[in-house]
Amino acid sequence: MDKWEYKTLKFKIGSFWGGVNVDEQQFEDILNEAGSQGWELVSSVDTSQYQGQSKDLIVVMKRKRT
């Protein structure tokens, strides 16, 4: 039976005024670095702050345990 380990990453995406503030290149670079270490993105969830505005993005990654 395969065994997995999990990793969560949290990205601040909301700004004070409610807009989305994401450095897409930095986000992609972080995901690519994790991918090069064997991590696979399996889920992402945004957290609501107020009236549906996003505050954070949480991504869940997994890889086979060695």
Side-chain angles (χ1 to χ4, degrees), residues 13-21 49-55:
I13 61 171
S15 68
F16 179 77
W17 300 106
V20 175
N21 184 20
Q49 179 176 344
Y50 177 71
Q51 295 182 344
Q53 297 173 355
S54 294
K55 180 179 179 185

Side-chain angles (χ1 to χ4, degrees), residues 13-62:
I13 61 171
S15 68
F16 179 77
W17 300 106
V20 175
N21 184 20
V22 176
D23 182 335
E24 292 178 33
Q25 187 60 54
Q26 180 185 29
F27 182 71
E28 186 176 303
D29 290 346
I30 290 169
L31 293 180
N32 282 329
E33 176 62 27
S36 72
Q37 296 172 13
W39 294 101
E40 176 183 6
L41 177 66
V42 293
S43 181
S44 63
V45 178
D46 70 329
T47 59
S48 294
Q49 179 176 344
Y50 177 71
Q51 295 182 344
Q53 297 173 355
S54 294
K55 180 179 179 185
D56 301 304
L57 178 66
I58 299 171
V59 298
V60 179
M61 307 185 95
K62 75 173 186 179

Side-chain angles (χ1 to χ4, degrees), residues 3-15:
K3 295 191 179 199
W4 302 94
E5 61 181 323
Y6 294 88
K7 175 182 204 168
T8 58
L9 302 173
K10 183 177 179 181
F11 298 93
K12 182 108 175 121
I13 61 171
S15 68

